[in-house]
């Protein structure tokens, strides 16, 4: 299906190669865009007409589009659509979509804007929904009015699977938070919400068949079946599939808390702990399959999507090793090891999943030659693993490199391409088996308050990677458009911007947050899994996530901006006075900040751990200012000074209070430029 | 009932007079507060137990309280309440409340916090709800933990009627926006939502009896009866009565659009126009009363509150004068004029309202000696009018001085006391007839996006005026606490802070908002009714409210802060170097801002009208800096310079783009201090 889209795009040979005109901040960048000159007025007389195939998603999508246009312009608009002859925007949808949205349904669209009207044509309602998002991004204030530029866009996705996994097991995420993130996904044309509904720490769906699942393993925080249906419908209305995941045979504590007879060890098991014991299902006994058959029957009925994710990752050896009956089973059936046992489990599981009308999906570890080729592999390991699967005939998608919880910058995710590395060497037929990718929002350290700021705006960069042509990869352009899309997301109610200052304000007990914000703006949470080391092992209750590390952005825009300034200044041979002035102004701000912040840090226990960071930021600033003076007066500071300052830099880039001072590397460059280097070591 | 509360308070003679310890930012200030030393730890083991009378508002209020505590601390808390012997907070409610909340129900409470526990006791659930809000305001981070200070509070309201009117006729306000404002009202212990549901511009309630009311006069924007019930229950749960208002016999265009036979002129009438024709009901014909009887019967059944507001203000003479039949009626019945006719109408109306079990309320104009003393008067005219009514035996409440749409500063509203002026001379018995007051949010220039910023935080100052003892009136303390309460309101979802930058960002088309924010922070919307002059007379659709005047705060915190600095500097005899430094830093920022903003102002039609303001802010800043230098070097600038700069000041304080540059008066002081005064005019 993806190939078809591409063929139709290629026929538009007159269209320009993907390249953004500077005034068009579209994200994701469309496949083909032909800019014109002039503009289409968007004022209160704006109307929409829908022609062609009928589809409920258009009936609800057009008023939502008008609402959104109204919100982003502040102009009340008529809700009713006009007739096709007079409407400002004429939509034509060729065919109705599938009753349940399918992988590979045609998502392409053509948007043509002239000075008198806009026309949006798509083979399928999904393309219409995407095209409406593009139109919204084109409308902005001009000197005389709101307007959209004259342009012809022929667009379609590079990959048919562009997903976001949200883990609601480790921290429960309420439905309204899930919904606003669906809204955000629609803005950047993503199309799969992968709902990680069960894991060791919680089972989050009401099960009528096995009520002890949600009753004992959710602390009352679960979705009712009615809410699940409501959410699935909500996502469908926005062109997004919802695929559930139920982890088995590992990551399964929440299954065995209420049903310990399923586990390979007798239990009992306690709900709700993060990072504790790792039970595994006893996959040698028939009753486990009987249970799963009934559970999957129930869940398959609840989730209409064709794909059903069974987890399958990180099965701990310990519980299977410690059960002699299981080891005996392995031996008796001529299996080599626990891996073979898991393959045996997956084969039986796949039959159950398939019996209930679903295609089974699992993480890397499910891959085993004994499994049918319909199984789809999600790779947390990387392109090599993905390519290996594709070579064996399995379809797969990439998640390695897209883990949002690791707190990496957008550019790092943006640089990860599913078709890179080992995947680049696949034959065309094999390559088609790479369906796309999924960003993962694991939930050890997120709450409903912070989740948006961990997902957004970075997810938009991943969304662009999965939608736009492979050669769209300039990080500078990406960041410019990321900033633009970020505030648009704010109109939809996403809280990645708005929750920041209130969280800071909580820490200072309602005092002025300016000084704390200057510190918070300059730091980032530690990367990868370094935070978990300090996570309490057996929380009685969820640990409060109310410290600076929780408010701080995964990526500091200030640090990025400062690094750009320092880069510019150095590249200019220290002659760019404007850059120097701005660098100095930042350094002066940081220099004085600790003095302003000190009392607040002492007054609030939430901030006491940040004292050394605040001190070091001031010290770094002083060093930076001294270095600047040294550079300017051509009087390099002594080597001993340099060593002392670099020690502060090194300390600043080590986790303290789970934070890093992200402006330190740029200040390091100033220190090195403004001081005497150590003598060269002998070869 | 109020008197009883006061007596019980007086018996706590050992308690200190109302006076805030500097660390307790309570708003409104409680009647009596006895600070202690030490603190009560508020951590994740926090539990609540409820004893005494049962009331559904406690069943829902306690989990809401725990949610709120959890949100403001970022600590997940157990939702279930503990037993009384072990709970951290023990609530004792003496009696269940009335089935329908009544005016004058006892709202007092006693909150006693010791190092080991807190106890909250109240005669009525309303007091418990208020006490819980007080407790929330007491919890803040300390050097070791979240804690509440040791304190004994004996609190109760000064007035039994503390209301907010929201006009939903001129601009419709959706239910969720209404609800979040109810949440805000509960924080500051207000207890009446006066719902201005009909006016010339719209009728906002579904009427099953007269469907043409909402069908023809709401453009589809109305509350269904189910939504009304839901909202009334929502407000009740938070200790707030909902009183509806239906305007008659004037302000009644929305009634006569669908039912022109009720009007004194034949019509036809068109819905939705602001500030256009002012019809009046034909109150001489029986069918008008028959209609009103049925309408009021329906609405009285929908709104359980005992009070029913019939408007009654500003009846235009024109429609009655131009109908000879009506003038004949006046003559035939021995009436003097239209005022007598309105009194005749009100007498008949009062009987209808009373027949349906309600107490009639109306604006000043309803006051007429022929009306029964049960009628309650709401005064938009002032204390004189209110006192006159009280002397005649009518109960009343004050709204004059509390109009939020006039964009006055909080301190101005705060200084208005219902018992001041003519009301101060009332006898104790007459004084008791003054029930309190109501802030009014008229909706000509608000939208769901901006309403919160027009109501909050200023409403909290009015709420304190109506709750706290009369001698609590220091504006400096008020502002400090207003700032504190403002961010707490943010946790509840009120958008007065969070919508600011997104609105600015819309104007600059997604560009950086910093420069625009510096301008926006320094201006305020024009005061009183000056804006309406530029309001288009016949809007086909609602006019977009998306300009700087809509984003700008009614009260500029920057201007207030700057005025304080300038005041301090002048009072110090120009010796306060710290103040001078801060003044200079603001002036430098403003001086350079126009240069940064210029391009943006040109690029967006939403901002072009603000060009002169931005220019003048920079000019004022230059003048201020020159004046500062003149003062510092003891070299006053020449008289001609002074005259020139004062012209800029004068211009800055005149409305342009519906805005005033609010830092101008402070800069004027600097200019005057730093230059040669004109020669004294001869006596």
């Amino acid at each position: 299906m993806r190939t078809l889209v591409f063929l139709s795009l290629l026929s538009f040979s007159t269209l320009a190669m993907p390249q953004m005109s500077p005034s068009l901040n579209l994200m994701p960048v469309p496949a083909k865009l032909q800019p014109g000159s002039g503009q289409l007025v968007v004022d209160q007389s704006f109307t929409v007409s829908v022609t062609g195939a009928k589809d409920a998603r258009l009936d609800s999508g057009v008023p939502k589009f008008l609402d959104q246009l109204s919100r982003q312009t502040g102009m009340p608009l008529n809700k009713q659509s006009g007739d096709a002859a007079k409407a400002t925007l004429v939509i034509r949808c060729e065919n109705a979509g599938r009753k349940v949205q399918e992988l590979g349904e045609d998502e392409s669209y053509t948007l043509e804007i002239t000075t008198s009207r806009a026309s949006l044509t798509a083979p399928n309602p999904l393309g219409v929904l995407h095209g409406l998002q593009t139109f919204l991004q084109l409308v902005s204030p001009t000197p005389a009015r709101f307007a959209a530029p004259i342009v012809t866009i022929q667009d379609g996705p590079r990959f048919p699977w562009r997903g976001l996994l949200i883990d609601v097991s480790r921290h429960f995420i309420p439905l309204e938070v899930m919904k606003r993130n669906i809204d955000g996904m629609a803005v950047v044309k993503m199309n799969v919400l992968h709902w990680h509904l069960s894991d060791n720490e919680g089972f989050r769906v009401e099960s009528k068949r096995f009520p002890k699942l949600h009753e004992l393993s959710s602390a009352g925080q679960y979705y009712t079946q009615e809410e699940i249906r409501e959410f699935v419908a909500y996502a469908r209305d926005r062109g997004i599939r919802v695929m559930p995941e139920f982890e088995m045979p590992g990551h399964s504590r929440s299954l065995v808390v209420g049903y310990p007879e399923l586990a390979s060890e007798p239990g009992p098991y306690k709900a709700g702990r993060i990072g504790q014991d790792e039970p595994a299902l006893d996959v040698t006994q028939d009753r486990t399959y009987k249970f799963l058959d009934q559970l999957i029957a129930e869940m398959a009925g609840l989730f209409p999507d064709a794909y059903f994710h069974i987890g399958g990752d990180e099965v701990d050896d310990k519980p299977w090793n410690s059960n002699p009956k299981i080891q005996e089973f392995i031996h008796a059936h001529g299996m080599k090891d626990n891996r073979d046992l898991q393959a045996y489990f997956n084969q039986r599981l796949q039959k159950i999943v398939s019996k209930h009308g679903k295609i089974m999906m699992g993480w890397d570890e499910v891959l085993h030659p004994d499994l049918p080729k319909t199984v789809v592999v999600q790779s947390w390991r990387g392109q090599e693993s993905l390519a290996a699967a594709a070579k064996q005939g399995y379809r797969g998608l990439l998640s390695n490199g897209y883990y949002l919880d690791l707190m990496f910058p957008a550019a790092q995710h943006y640089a990860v391409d599913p078709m890179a590395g080992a995947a680049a060497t696949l034959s065309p037929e094999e390559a088609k088996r790479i369906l796309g990718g999924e960003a993962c929002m694991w939930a050890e350290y997120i709450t409903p308050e912070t989740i948006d700021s961990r997902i957004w705006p970075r997810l938009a960069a991943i969304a662009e990677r999965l939608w736009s042509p492979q050669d769209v990869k300039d990080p500078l352009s990406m960041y410019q458009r990321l900033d633009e899309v970020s505030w648009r997301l704010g109109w939809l109610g996403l809280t990645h911007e708005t929750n920041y200052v209130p969280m800071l304000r909580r820490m200072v007990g309602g005092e002025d947050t300016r000084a704390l914000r200057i510190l918070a703006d300059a730091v980032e949470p530690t990367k990868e899994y370094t935070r978990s080391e300090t996570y309490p092992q057996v929380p009685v209750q969820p640990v409060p996530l109310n410290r600076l590390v929780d408010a701080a952005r995964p990526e500091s825009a200030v640090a990025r901006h400062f690094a750009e300034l320092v880069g510019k200044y150095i590249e200019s041979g220290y002659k760019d006075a404007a850059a120097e002035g701005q660098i100095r102004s930042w350094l002066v701000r940081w220099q004085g900040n600790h003095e302003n912040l000190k009392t607040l840090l002492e007054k609030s226990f939430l901030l006491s751990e940040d004292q050394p960071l605040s001190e070091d930021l001031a010290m770094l600033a002083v060093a930076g200012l001294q270095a600047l003076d040294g550079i300017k007066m051509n009087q390099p500071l002594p080597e001993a000074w340099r060593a002392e300052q670099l020690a502060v830099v090194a300390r600043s880039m080590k986790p303290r209070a789970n934070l890093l001072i992200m402006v330190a590397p740029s200040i390091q460059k100033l220190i090195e430029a403004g001081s005497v280097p150590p003598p060269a070591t002998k070869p």
Side-chain angles (χ1 to χ4, degrees), chain A residues 57-58 61 125-134 236-239:
Chain A
R57 286 168 293 183
L58 300 179
L126 297 171
V128 173
L129 297 179
H130 294 315
L132 289 174
Q133 294 294 345
T134 302
R236 172 180 167 82
D237 269 353
R238 286 148 184 86

Side-chain angles (χ1 to χ4, degrees), chain A residues 361-670:
Chain A
M361 185 147 173
W363 296 97
D364 292 284
E365 292 93 324
V366 301
L367 197 65
H368 194 283
D370 292 343
L371 276 186
K373 302 296 183 224
T374 53
V375 167
V376 179
V377 177
Q378 177 167 20
S379 181
W380 61 269
R381 288 183 176 159
Q383 288 96 335
E384 200 151 341
S385 169
L386 198 59
K391 282 199 172 133
Q392 293 172 47
Y394 293 100
R395 292 175 304 158
L397 46 99
L398 184 67
S399 279
N400 179 292
Y402 300 142
Y403 273 31
L404 296 166
D405 54 315
L406 303 188
M407 303 286 176
F408 288 126
Q412 184 165 333
H413 296 305
Y414 193 60
V416 175
D417 196 297
M419 302 311 296
T425 66
L426 295 175
S427 74
E429 199 187 349
E430 289 162 356
K432 271 196 290 180
R433 297 191 187 119
I434 309 239
L435 302 173
E438 270 188 10
C440 295
M441 182 72 265
W442 299 108
E444 281 86 348
Y445 297 104
I446 58 169
T447 67
E449 184 179 40
T450 61
I451 181 172
D452 294 4
S453 72
R454 273 58 191 135
I455 294 178
W456 305 103
R458 292 179 302 152
L459 182 62
I462 299 172
E464 176 159 292
R465 173 59 47 243
L466 298 173
W467 175 281
S468 301
Q470 188 166 14
D471 59 354
V472 174
K473 56 185 181 189
D474 172 22
L476 284 182
S477 158
M478 181 275 286
Y479 274 118
Q480 185 186 328
R481 289 172 297 106
L482 196 70
D483 189 44
E484 164 85 16
V485 90
S486 180
W487 77 270
R488 290 184 182 275
L489 293 164
W491 293 118
L492 293 167
L494 285 158
T495 63
H496 56 301
E497 290 291 341
T498 50
N499 274 358
Y500 185 46
V501 172
M503 287 188 74
L504 300 181
R505 198 126 193 199
R506 167 197 292 151
M507 294 175 219
V508 297
E511 304 268 352
D512 191 295
T513 54
R514 269 172 292 187
L516 180 58
R517 183 162 180 177
I518 288 172
L519 175 63
D521 279 351
V523 298
E524 288 179 11
T526 54
K527 308 302 161 187
E528 305 212 48
Y529 294 110
T530 43
R531 185 171 179 183
S532 55
E533 298 162 10
T534 65
Y535 202 88
Q537 283 301 299
V538 189
V540 181
Q541 280 172 298
V543 170
L545 296 174
N546 56 4
R547 310 225 164 192
L548 195 53
V549 58
D550 300 301
R553 313 301 175 82
E555 183 169 13
S556 158
V558 165
R560 187 160 51 79
H561 176 64
F562 187 72
E564 276 166 28
L565 286 173
V566 170
K568 230 164 122 181
Y569 177 59
I570 293 176
E571 275 163 38
S572 76
Y574 313 106
K575 291 195 180 75
D576 186 333
E580 191 212 316
Q582 288 186 62
I583 292 168
R584 200 174 280 278
S585 136
W586 278 110
L587 293 170
V588 166
R589 189 176 302 181
W590 293 327
Q591 177 189 24
N593 198 56
H594 183 60
E595 199 51 39
N596 298 332
L597 193 51
K598 220 163 62 177
T599 324
L600 291 178
L601 297 177
E602 284 160 7
K603 271 175 66 175
S604 169
F605 76 107
L606 293 170
L607 290 169
S608 47
E609 64 184 1
D610 304 315
Q611 186 109 7
L613 291 148
S614 176
E615 272 167 21
D616 280 353
L617 180 61
M619 285 182 70
L620 287 170
V622 171
L625 286 167
Q626 290 173 338
L628 269 189
D629 289 343
I631 294 166
K632 211 170 174 183
M633 298 189 283
N634 206 11
Q635 292 179 341
L637 289 149
E639 198 193 319
W641 176 90
R642 177 192 187 110
E644 206 178 307
Q645 308 313 321
L646 291 181
V648 183
V649 169
R651 193 163 72 205
S652 300
M653 289 308 293
K654 286 212 182 97
R656 285 174 298 177
N658 291 304
L659 292 164
L660 309 172
I661 303 179
M662 291 307 289
V663 297
S666 300
I667 292 177
Q668 176 173 1
K669 288 184 185 162
L670 295 176

Side-chain angles (χ1 to χ4, degrees), chain A residues 234-254:
Chain A
Y234 188 94
R236 172 180 167 82
D237 269 353
R238 286 148 184 86
I240 292 168
R241 298 163 40 212
V242 176
M243 175 182 66
E245 176 181 357
F246 298 93
E247 278 270 21
M248 52 192 84
H251 284 275
S252 56
R253 183 156 22 89
S254 69

